[in-house]
């Protein structure tokens, strides 16, 4: 059964991809959807056996690489962390597959799309079930490849091409750091198996490694390199630019990337490697600060975006910041709990946004919507539930994890802990503000849409509406039902899957922080939502005047253009690298030096020397006899004078003379 959980999505992907022309669109969509649904059911059984019954499963399929000191196998590990990810990934993937059957129903390339979705799910399952770093890296690169294919699904669109290439290249930066981290793990531990590395981690405390001529702590270096991979995949500040642009793909792709796969891989890596991170306190501080800055940055950027999906994308970036700094504060269980909760309401938001876009004729600009509550009441209700869960409204799913993260940050009683707490609290205010702004501009404001679009707009059909209903139930009740089991004080749910050093246990302290501190995030969220509603409902003219004022225009430009990250990258990094690549690498070296000393130069040299030697072939016997006589004379002279010549012979000088003689004629001919 456990092996079938992994293989079934691959089989469905290959079936839809290779035989899509024979089975047709109907066959492709129902084969893939039913396969993923069966995988979800088996994942639920695995969750019961592993997490609830306390029976982790480990098995090895076959040897993969066996070379001297390096040996690794195809093996799978099913512990509590794995099965939680399995249930989340397969549940969201099933609903996205079902949603896609209607949303993409008219696309002639539907079999290819469904194949990509199933392949995406397969690689994510490889990533979370791996029992060694190399196998995890295969799944890591696989989800990167599938994200490229899905973002670029409508390959005739230039923006989709650019977004897919951007996602691939930015993720390669993080993947390079992760690869270096895996190399460092092998050099340090002589193994890449999780069990061996995690067990041996305490023995490496205090050991140093030379890195770029600096002596650095080995575990800190390993953790920072692994974190670079997580920064790229989970879109933390600095390598976040690919995530909003990934909205160019179809909406089901956005839901799958943002809710269950791809971006959650970085958080999963931090949680999986907790036995290493716990012995590298410096790395934990870096993780905390980066996560807090990401939550704040994405919260401010989402305030003034006008694209419906882009606002939700920045909310994903902000929520990933919460998960990352929760892991940085050693609250791995809370981080994973927020990951699971976030999957439900974020998938709900994206699929509801897809329903709006579908009804509006592929329009994504919120300024061209409004008044949709009358024509899309069901979608509005779903969107409203998802937005409340996102902003952490009391007693919805997001409340039970986000508030605990902020409480842990405060209870850490360190400078970086308080830094994360207050930035996270401000991010909660911004999240509530842009969530309510999105709701108001899309559904409640006076419509700015064309009459014919509003007349033909219709609510989601069953295949699109049913996944929204299921996700709304998860967004309301999952947090409440699973809170005590997953993050309750003293729970043995995680077993050995997560490790927290005794010095870093703060869950108990978080229970006893002052009540007014616990209420601060809720107050900030409610204040943000109420202020956004009244500002846009009653003071929209004042907001416009503020926007066109000198200070307001600069602030609007700064936030709307995403803190100028893209501009800096494009103007100062990308352009310089492209210029270097064309002028120096391509024209000077590749087409210049290499061609002169390589194929072109050699072909010209051989041609010229060949024509020179051909002129010696006169056909007269006395000419050949004369050349033979010269050769014999030269050999005799060399043999006779060898003792006098040898002191002046230098192999390096001789080589230079030969090369110069060969290429001199070619140079002078060009002159």
């Amino acid at each position: 059964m456990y092996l079938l959980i992994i293989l079934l999505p691959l089989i469905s992907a290959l079936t839809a991809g290779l035989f899509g022309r024979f089975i047709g669109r109907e066959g492709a969509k129902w084969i893939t959807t039913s396969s993923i649904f069966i995988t979800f059911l088996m994942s639920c059984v695995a969750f019961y056996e592993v997490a609830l019954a306390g029976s982790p499963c480990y098995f090895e399929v076959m040897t993969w690489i066996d070379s001297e000191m390096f040996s690794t196998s195809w093996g799978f590990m099913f512990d509590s962390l794995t099965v939680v990810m399995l249930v989340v990934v397969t549940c969201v993937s099933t609903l996205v597959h079902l949603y896609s059957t209607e949303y993409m129903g008219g696309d002639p390339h539907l079999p290819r799309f469904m194949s990509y979705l199933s392949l995406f799910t397969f690689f994510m399952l490889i990533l979370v079930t791996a029992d060694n770093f190399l196998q995890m890296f295969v799944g890591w690169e696989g989800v990167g490849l599938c994200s490229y294919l899905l973002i670029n699904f409508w390959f005739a669109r230039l923006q989709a091409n650019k977004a897919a290439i951007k996602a691939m290249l930015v993720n390669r930066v993080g993947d390079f750091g992760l690869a270096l981290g895996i190399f460092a793990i092998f050099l340090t531990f002589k193994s890449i198996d999780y069990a061996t590395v995690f067990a041996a981690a305490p023995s490496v405390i205090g050991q140093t490694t030379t890195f770029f001529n600096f002596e650095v702590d080995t575990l800190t270096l390993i953790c920072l390199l692994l974190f670079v991979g997580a920064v790229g995949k989970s879109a933390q500040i600095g390598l976040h630019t690919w995530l909003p642009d990934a909205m160019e793909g179809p909406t089901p792709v956005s839901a799958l990337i943002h809710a269950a796969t791809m971006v959650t891989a970085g958080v999963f890596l931090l949680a999986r490697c907790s036995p290493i991170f716990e012995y590298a306190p410096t790395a934990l501080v870096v993780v905390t600060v980066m996560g807090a800055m990401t939550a704040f940055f994405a919260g401010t950027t989402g305030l003034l975006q006008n694209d419906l999906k882009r606002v939700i994308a920045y909310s994903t970036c902000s929520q990933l910041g919460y998960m990352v700094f929760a892991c940085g504060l050693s609250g791995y269980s809370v981080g994973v709990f927020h990951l699971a909760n976030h999957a439900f309401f974020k998938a709900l938001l994206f699929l509801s946004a897809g329903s709006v876009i579908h009804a509006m004729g592929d329009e994504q600009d919120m300024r061209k919507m409004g008044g949709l509550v009358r024509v899309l009441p069901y979608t509005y209700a779903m969107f409203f539930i998802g937005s409340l869960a996102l902003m952490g409204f009391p007693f919805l799913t997001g409340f039970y994890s986000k508030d605990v993260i902020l409480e842990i940050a405060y209870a850490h009683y360190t400078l970086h802990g308080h830094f994360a707490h207050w930035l996270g609290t401000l991010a909660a205010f911004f999240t509530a503000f842009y969530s309510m702004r999105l709701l108001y501009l899309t559904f409640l404001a006076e419509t700015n849409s064309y009459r014919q679009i509003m007349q033909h707009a219709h609510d989601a059909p069953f295949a699109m509406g049913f996944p929204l209903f299921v996700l709304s139930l998860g967004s309301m009740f999952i947090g409440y039902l699973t809170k005590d089991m997953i993050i309750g004080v003293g729970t043995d749910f995680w077993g050995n899957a997560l490790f927290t050093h005794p010095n870093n246990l703060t869950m108990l302290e978080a229970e006893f922080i002052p009540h007014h501190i616990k209420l601060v995030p809720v107050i900030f969220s409610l204040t943000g939502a109420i202020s956004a509603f009244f500002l846009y409902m009653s003071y929209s003219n004042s907001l416009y005047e503020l926007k066109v004022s000198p200070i307001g225009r600069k602030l609007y430009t700064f936030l709307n253009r995403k803190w100028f990250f893209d501009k800096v990258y494009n103007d100062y990094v990308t352009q310089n690298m492209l210029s270097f690549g064309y002028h120096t690498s391509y024209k000077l070296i590749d087409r210049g030096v290499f061609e002169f000393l390589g194929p072109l130069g050699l072909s010209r040299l051989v041609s010229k020397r060949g024509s020179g030697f051909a002129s010696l072939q006169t056909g007269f016997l006395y000419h050949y006899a004369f050349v033979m006589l010269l050769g014999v004379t030269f050999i005799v002279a060399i043999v006779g004078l060898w003792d006098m010549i040898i002191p002046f012979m230098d192999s390096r000088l001789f080589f230079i003379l030969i090369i110069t003689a060969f290429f001199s004629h070619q140079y002078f001919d060009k002159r």
Side-chain angles (χ1 to χ4, degrees), residues 125-171:
L125 297 183
I126 287 287
L127 193 156
V128 300
T129 57
D131 71 343
N132 61 76
F133 283 98
L134 188 60
Q135 190 175 324
M136 182 272 295
F137 192 72
V138 172
W140 190 277
E141 292 299 315
V143 295
L145 171 64
C146 291
S147 70
Y148 172 83
L149 296 173
L150 285 167
I151 295 168
N152 201 25
F153 177 74
W154 288 322
F155 53 81
R157 296 170 55 184
L158 179 61
Q159 290 301 320
N161 293 157
K162 291 164 67 176
I165 292 170
K166 188 176 185 178
M168 180 67 82
L169 291 179
V170 173
N171 272 285

Side-chain angles (χ1 to χ4, degrees), residues 446-629:
E446 291 296 323
T447 185
N448 285 323
S449 182
Y450 295 106
R451 177 179 294 179
Q452 60 266 31
I453 294 178
M454 295 295 290
Q455 287 175 342
H456 291 91
H458 57 86
D459 223 329
F462 176 78
M464 292 170 61
F466 180 71
L468 299 183
F469 175 72
V470 175
L471 290 168
S472 68
L473 293 179
S475 302
M476 289 188 288
F477 302 118
I478 284 291
Y480 171 74
L481 294 174
T482 59
K483 177 177 181 292
D484 290 333
M485 178 179 68
I486 294 178
I487 61 169
V489 177
T491 180
D492 59 349
F493 175 83
W494 295 106
N496 295 324
L498 301 176
F499 171 75
T500 305
H501 196 278
N503 295 338
N504 297 333
L505 290 170
T506 53
M507 284 293 294
L508 195 60
E509 285 84 349
E511 296 287 330
F512 296 100
I513 63 174
H515 286 288
H516 67 275
I517 298 294
K518 291 187 176 184
L519 290 173
V520 166
V522 179
I523 294 170
F524 269 64
S525 294
L526 294 176
T527 305
I530 294 169
S531 58
F533 182 77
F534 282 106
L535 280 173
Y536 279 91
M537 186 177 70
S538 304
Y539 300 99
S540 55
N541 293 330
S542 301
L543 286 175
Y544 177 76
E545 291 173 1
L546 178 63
K547 175 184 169 181
V548 297
S549 66
I551 298 176
R553 188 162 57 247
K554 291 179 180 177
L555 182 62
Y556 180 86
T557 304
F558 179 72
L559 295 180
N560 185 257
R561 299 190 64 180
K562 303 160 263 187
W563 288 30
F564 296 108
F565 269 101
D566 287 275
K567 182 174 176 59
V568 170
Y569 284 162
N570 291 336
D571 292 354
Y572 298 104
V573 179
T574 310
Q575 289 298 328
N576 291 332
M577 291 183 68
L578 288 174
S579 178
F580 173 83
Y582 180 73
H583 293 289
T584 305
S585 179
Y586 175 67
K587 293 194 71 175
L588 180 62
I589 298 176
D590 190 31
R591 295 296 302 273
V593 176
F594 286 170
E595 287 289 350
F596 182 73
L597 298 176
L600 185 62
L602 284 176
S603 65
R604 288 181 178 176
L605 178 67
V606 170
S607 177
K608 290 182 181 295
R609 294 292 178 266
S611 60
F613 285 123
S615 63
L616 298 176
Q617 307 299 319
T618 61
F620 295 107
L621 184 61
Y622 58 87
H623 286 174
Y624 299 146
F626 178 71
V627 171
M628 292 171 65
L629 181 63

Side-chain angles (χ1 to χ4, degrees), residues 10 44 50 59 107 112 179 184 214 222 247 267 310 319 338 369 403 435 476 493 533 544 591 648 650:
L10 177 62
C44 292
V50 174
F59 62 91
D107 197 293
R112 178 164 61 90
F214 291 98
I222 290 172
M247 299 299 100
V267 180
R310 202 171 284 263
Q319 298 304 306
H338 191 53
M369 299 180 186
D403 275 41
S435 297
M476 289 188 288
F493 175 83
F533 182 77
Y544 177 76
R591 295 296 302 273
F648 301 98
D650 189 340

